[in-house]
Amino acid sequence: MNTMLAAAKAAKNQIAGLTTQQKNDALLAMADALLSQQEQILAANAQDLEVAKGTVSDVMLDRLLLTPQRIESMAEGIRQVAQLPDPVGRVLEEYTRPDGLLIRKTSVPMGVIAIIYESRPNVTSDAAALALKSGNICVLRGGKEAFRSANAITDALRAGLKQCGITENAVNLVQDTSRASAQALMTANGFIDLLIPRGGAGLINACVRNATVPCIATGTGICHVYVEKTADLDMAISIVKNAKTSRPSVCNAEEVLLVDREIAPKFLPMLRDALVINGKNPVELRLDETAAGIIPGTAAGETDFDTEFLDYILAVKCVEDVHEAVAHIAVHSTGHSEAIVTRSEQAKQIFTTGVDSAAVYVNASTRFTDGGEFGLGCEMGISTQKLHARGPMGLRELTTYKYIVYGNGHIR
Amino acid sequence: MNTMLAAAKAAKNQIAGLTTQQKNDALLAMADALLSQQEQILAANAQDLEVAKGTVSDVMLDRLLLTPQRIESMAEGIRQVAQLPDPVGRVLEEYTRPDGLLIRKTSVPMGVIAIIYESRPNVTSDAAALALKSGNICVLRGGKEAFRSANAITDALRAGLKQCGITENAVNLVQDTSRASAQALMTANGFIDLLIPRGGAGLINACVRNATVPCIATGTGICHVYVEKTADLDMAISIVKNAKTSRPSVCNAEEVLLVDREIAPKFLPMLRDALVINGKNPVELRLDETAAGIIPGTAAGETDFDTEFLDYILAVKCVEDVHEAVAHIAVHSTGHSEAIVTRSEQAKQIFTTGVDSAAVYVNASTRFTDGGEFGLGCEMGISTQKLHARGPMGLRELTTYKYIVYGNGHIR
């Protein structure tokens, strides 16, 4: 690990100094190499699947599975990154001070970015492509289930780099998938400039607790949709249904529904019709006392308003007004995405000002919190913290800046 | 402590929602209150000084001392913050997606900012003013030497807030100056949105190692000035003298001089004349072997190129060229400020690209790395990390952003 980290650090200046053209050429070569080494990648993946079978769920097995089509789509993902604007070398500000000192604030790469992730093999190529385009070295540490696949993918990516005369140390895969290797990355001060954990709440929390290197917490989403009393109820049903059921396993899916007490008697039966009775995958409703007095469902337990279900389960609570909604969210949200459905300008104002989350929606589904949907063209994760990056992280969020200051013998 | 943190968190929405006018009025009232409570503040300070006498250095005693003039200058500092532009509510980006979704990226306060600092009483009022102007609550934890002074200052600031009908919980002083209280702040996840340590390397390192809340490392500066072979040597002497001796105790002062070997025989005697023989406070030169062959001085020990002297001491090393200078800095710098003195466009290019520090100077002194000198109007500290803020942190660096997204029933 130490050898890898030292080599990664030593490669910083070469990678930071690449031109946009050089980086794009390398990305295209990396995409080509994925396809030309497809056989090796599929063989490695078959071994991973063989080992995993019986020990993990079918959903997990499907996440792990690679096919020629999926490899093609990974390659296409890299090609798309090549087409995005270069985030490095942007002059963010430039001004001359009264004494003639010229100050230029310029975007520069972070340096070495470590990414700790779980079992989806495509994260390996996605993360490597985003890191290279932003002039960074990446140190990837994937889950043990996908270890052989990740190695085969990394070999291909490095072959692409080599072909373009770029050091293979730009893309590194940690060869140890134990907890110890994750811990070592979290505390590799002086070697890792940024650590991004991508995965479940356990991984994120471990990084927040243990990391001494700069770290961006991503992902955990206990997202709320609040249906205010003036809402168009049909619109509210459509938004709640989309936020809850279009893809329950992702972090921007709704977990909690808040409804104004005044409209609950009308709205909750509509909700039950749409999500339970006529739902393709019926949603289990966990109801607070008021809601349980209106429609049938499970009684909400103590933890139901603090749980990221990632499943066809929705906690439902009745509130007095927008103030109570904002107050509930302040206590129970993870700061990811929250939505209000309303026709009231005042309620919009109170909600968007009062809710302290990365993305706050008015009359739209929380499912839009995504790099692609926000027009960033890609995504390295969704930050739920406030330092540096908030919400979807694209290429620009993988850069920092430095001040380059030009004088003519200036002293103070 | 827990009561204070809960009260601070509860005040977030009120403070975040203040108008610019309300904040400015409060700042002026805080400045007035400092002056009207001057007697109490001076009395408290006299007690602090009495206790500290004999246990700390004279320099430390002077840092601790308050006078009517110093209190006036603290009040003036607050008034200046009132005149700065409001960093909150800026629309950083606004765009409409092809599907009609309107995305507005807006600057918002961080929330609760904790600041751990040492003995200078003026930090109490500076930090409180900057926090309030940026819509943040501050939780201040000062050093024990200045405890009574800090309390008297905080009382005055809170009186100013109260007079304007703003919750006093916007400004909080931790009443426990033990290590335990610092540790509690470092791990107050869910209550502290940002921790800023201001002080010596020991404090900063403790925060980096132990903090589980988002933290910005500030301050430590092993700053280099590199005199390249094409430099105007008179300019180089002027810059080195300014960077080393104008205020050796601050983080942007020079600690290490790098000189191209080719010009060392001419430059080093000039250096000795200016800094040692004719220096008002003669500088102790710690010389590497090559330099020691040219001028008299102390032989540099192993740690001298990794020490923030904060004193009239300068480590001197001869290098072959700009590449060796960049390589030396990569290993020994703390990423604060580095300067090159040169006439060569190529050397400028290599140095400004290759040196990975917050501020990189061409033909200017490192002493300019400062919020005031950079035109930010103020400073909460100088970040030496890459996440979020780098270099001098002004009001904007105390804000984060959120995405406010407007739809019309948009679903994905």
Side-chain angles (χ1 to χ4, degrees):
Chain A
M1 172 80 88
N2 290 343
T3 317
M4 177 186 289
L5 291 178
K9 186 175 175 177
K12 270 195 208 186
N13 268 356
Q14 189 197 341
I15 302 305
L18 294 176
T19 64
T20 305
Q21 187 66 50
Q22 285 174 310
K23 291 190 282 195
N24 291 344
D25 289 348
L27 287 167
L28 297 180
M30 285 157 74
D32 289 348
L34 271 190
L35 297 177
S36 67
Q37 301 196 15
Q38 178 172 308
E39 252 176 72
Q40 295 92 310
I41 295 171
L42 288 173
N45 187 246
Q47 283 187 292
D48 278 336
L49 285 166
E50 190 57 36
V51 174
K53 222 167 266 176
T55 70
V56 300
S57 69
D58 284 359
V59 174
M60 191 76 137
L61 275 185
D62 182 64
R63 281 193 178 190
L64 189 51
L65 176 71
L66 286 175
T67 61
Q69 199 187 352
R70 287 188 179 182
I71 295 177
E72 170 53 42
S73 123
M74 286 162 59
E76 183 50 32
I78 299 179
R79 287 187 212 110
Q80 281 172 10
V81 172
Q83 279 169 24
L84 292 173
D86 192 332
V88 173
R90 289 170 296 135
V91 175
L92 305 174
E93 286 179 53
E94 180 171 313
Y95 50 100
T96 303
R97 297 288 301 153
D99 60 2
L101 210 57
L102 171 68
I103 299 184
R104 191 178 288 154
K105 185 176 174 181
T106 311
S107 72
V108 297
M110 281 280 174
V112 178
I113 300 182
I115 298 136
I116 303 181
Y117 56 106
E118 298 180 335
S119 63
R120 281 189 300 159
N122 65 306
V123 174
T124 305
S125 61
D126 283 2
L130 294 174
L132 183 69
K133 181 76 185 220
S134 50
N136 292 296
I137 313 293
C138 64
V139 175
L140 306 166
R141 192 278 196 183
K144 70 173 188 307
E145 293 80 8
F147 182 63
R148 294 171 192 83
S149 313
N151 258 306
I153 292 165
T154 306
D155 286 347
L157 299 176
R158 289 169 67 113
L161 286 167
K162 194 174 177 185
Q163 202 183 309
C164 297
I166 296 173
T167 170
E168 294 168 288
N169 293 333
V171 177
N172 307 281
L173 183 72
V174 176
Q175 293 298 310
D176 167 6
T177 58
S178 71
R179 263 165 197 260
S181 73
Q183 183 65 31
L185 289 178
M186 293 179 206
T187 53
N189 296 72
F191 292 93
I192 304 285
D193 295 290
L194 173 60
L195 169 66
I196 303 176
R198 290 183 61 167
L203 169 62
I204 312 285
N205 290 337
C207 287
V208 168
R209 262 198 319 277
N210 302 323
T212 53
V213 300
C215 170
I216 291 189
T218 64
T220 318
I222 299 182
C223 302
H224 296 72
V225 176
Y226 164 53
V227 181
E228 198 265 345
K229 55 176 80 65
T230 65
D232 173 332
L233 297 190
D234 291 326
M235 182 195 285
I237 289 292
S238 157
I239 287 174
V240 170
K241 187 176 171 183
N242 179 262
K244 178 68 256 180
T245 68
S246 61
R247 209 170 159 200
S249 66
V250 293
C251 59
N252 57 20
E254 176 188 8
E255 305 293 9
V256 180
L257 170 69
L258 303 174
V259 188
D260 267 349
R261 214 161 276 140
E262 192 180 319
I263 54 163
K266 181 154 185 212
F267 183 71
L268 291 180
M270 291 170 68
L271 177 80
R272 186 163 175 265
D273 270 0
L275 268 64
V276 185
I277 299 172
N278 298 312
K280 200 173 129 198
N281 295 286
V283 173
E284 180 189 341
L285 301 177
R286 304 217 174 148
L287 307 171
D288 80 340
E289 217 175 314
T290 311
I294 300 170
I295 53 168
T298 316
E302 259 188 40
T303 58
D304 282 326
F305 293 98
D306 298 289
T307 302
E308 192 183 20
F309 299 115
L310 299 174
D311 203 346
Y312 290 95
I313 301 173
L314 180 67
V316 179
K317 183 184 165 72
C318 295
V319 295
E320 186 50 39
D321 58 13
V322 63
H323 296 288
E324 192 184 342
V326 168
H328 178 91
I329 289 168
V331 176
H332 300 276
S333 160
T334 53
H336 192 297
S337 302
E338 331 291 341
I340 183 174
V341 188
T342 185
R343 284 194 188 105
S344 153
E345 289 305 319
Q346 200 194 358
K348 286 179 194 174
Q349 181 62 27
I350 293 168
F351 193 83
T352 57
T353 310
V355 170
D356 190 21
S357 297
V360 184
Y361 292 88
V362 174
N363 296 331
S365 168
T366 54
R367 291 275 292 108
F368 286 100
T369 306
D370 171 272
E373 296 295 327
F374 272 29
L376 308 183
C378 64
E379 180 184 294
M380 184 63 110
I382 293 173
S383 164
T384 52
Q385 68 171 45
K386 297 183 186 174
L387 214 57
H388 187 70
R390 211 175 181 196
M393 293 168 61
L395 288 171
R396 284 189 296 176
E397 286 72 25
L398 300 179
T399 64
T400 180
Y401 55 83
K402 69 180 169 193
Y403 289 97
I404 304 179
V405 184
Y406 297 90
N408 183 26
H410 282 67
I411 59 172
R412 184 178 165 194
Chain B
M1 172 78 91
N2 289 342
T3 317
M4 176 186 288
L5 291 179
K9 187 175 175 178
K12 269 196 209 185
N13 267 357
Q14 189 197 340
I15 302 306
L18 294 175
T19 64
T20 306
Q21 186 66 48
Q22 286 174 309
K23 292 189 282 195
N24 291 345
D25 289 348
L27 288 166
L28 297 180
M30 287 158 71
D32 289 347
L34 271 189
L35 298 177
S36 65
Q37 302 196 15
Q38 178 172 305
E39 254 177 67
Q40 295 92 310
I41 296 171
L42 289 173
N45 186 246
Q47 283 189 292
D48 278 338
L49 286 166
E50 190 56 37
V51 174
K53 224 166 263 172
T55 70
V56 301
S57 68
D58 284 357
V59 174
M60 192 75 138
L61 276 185
D62 183 63
R63 280 193 178 190
L64 189 51
L65 175 72
L66 285 176
T67 61
Q69 199 188 352
R70 286 189 180 181
I71 294 178
E72 170 53 41
S73 124
M74 285 161 60
E76 184 50 32
I78 298 181
R79 288 189 210 106
Q80 280 172 10
V81 171
Q83 279 168 23
L84 292 173
D86 192 332
V88 173
R90 289 171 296 135
V91 175
L92 306 173
E93 285 178 54
E94 180 172 313
Y95 51 98
T96 304
R97 297 288 302 154
D99 60 4
L101 211 57
L102 171 68
I103 299 183
R104 191 177 287 155
K105 185 176 174 181
T106 310
S107 71
V108 296
M110 283 279 175
V112 179
I113 301 183
I115 299 136
I116 303 181
Y117 56 106
E118 297 179 337
S119 64
R120 280 189 301 158
N122 65 305
V123 174
T124 304
S125 62
D126 283 2
L130 294 173
L132 184 70
K133 180 75 183 221
S134 52
N136 292 296
I137 314 292
C138 64
V139 175
L140 305 167
R141 193 277 196 185
K144 70 172 186 311
E145 293 80 8
F147 182 62
R148 293 169 193 83
S149 313
N151 258 304
I153 292 166
T154 305
D155 286 347
L157 300 175
R158 288 168 68 113
L161 287 168
K162 195 176 177 184
Q163 203 183 306
C164 297
I166 296 173
T167 172
E168 296 168 288
N169 294 333
V171 176
N172 307 280
L173 182 72
V174 176
Q175 293 297 311
D176 167 6
T177 57
S178 71
R179 261 165 200 260
S181 74
Q183 183 65 31
L185 289 178
M186 293 178 206
T187 54
N189 295 70
F191 292 92
I192 303 286
D193 295 291
L194 173 60
L195 170 66
I196 305 176
R198 290 182 61 168
L203 170 63
I204 313 284
N205 290 338
C207 286
V208 168
R209 260 198 320 275
N210 301 322
T212 54
V213 300
C215 170
I216 293 189
T218 65
T220 319
I222 300 181
C223 302
H224 297 73
V225 176
Y226 164 54
V227 181
E228 197 265 345
K229 55 176 78 71
T230 65
D232 172 333
L233 297 191
D234 291 324
M235 181 194 287
I237 289 292
S238 158
I239 287 175
V240 169
K241 186 176 172 182
N242 180 262
K244 178 67 258 179
T245 68
S246 61
R247 206 169 162 201
S249 67
V250 293
C251 61
N252 57 21
E254 176 187 8
E255 305 293 9
V256 180
L257 169 69
L258 303 174
V259 188
D260 267 350
R261 211 161 278 140
E262 193 179 319
I263 54 163
K266 180 154 183 214
F267 182 72
L268 290 180
M270 291 170 68
L271 176 81
R272 186 163 175 267
D273 271 359
L275 267 65
V276 184
I277 298 172
N278 298 312
K280 199 173 127 199
N281 294 285
V283 172
E284 179 187 341
L285 301 177
R286 302 214 176 151
L287 307 172
D288 80 339
E289 213 174 317
T290 311
I294 301 169
I295 52 170
T298 316
E302 257 188 42
T303 60
D304 282 326
F305 293 98
D306 297 289
T307 301
E308 192 184 19
F309 299 115
L310 299 173
D311 204 345
Y312 291 94
I313 301 172
L314 180 66
V316 180
K317 183 184 164 73
C318 295
V319 294
E320 186 51 38
D321 57 15
V322 64
H323 295 289
E324 192 184 343
V326 168
H328 178 90
I329 289 168
V331 176
H332 299 277
S333 161
T334 54
H336 192 297
S337 303
E338 331 292 342
I340 182 173
V341 188
T342 184
R343 284 195 188 102
S344 153
E345 289 306 319
Q346 199 194 358
K348 288 179 195 176
Q349 181 61 29
I350 292 168
F351 192 83
T352 57
T353 310
V355 170
D356 190 20
S357 296
V360 184
Y361 292 87
V362 175
N363 296 332
S365 168
T366 54
R367 291 276 291 108
F368 285 99
T369 306
D370 170 272
E373 296 295 329
F374 272 29
L376 308 183
C378 63
E379 181 183 295
M380 184 65 110
I382 293 173
S383 164
T384 51
Q385 67 171 44
K386 297 183 187 173
L387 213 55
H388 188 70
R390 209 174 183 198
M393 292 169 60
L395 288 171
R396 284 189 296 177
E397 286 72 23
L398 301 180
T399 64
T400 178
Y401 56 82
K402 70 180 169 195
Y403 288 97
I404 304 180
V405 184
Y406 296 91
N408 183 25
H410 282 66
I411 59 173
R412 186 179 165 193

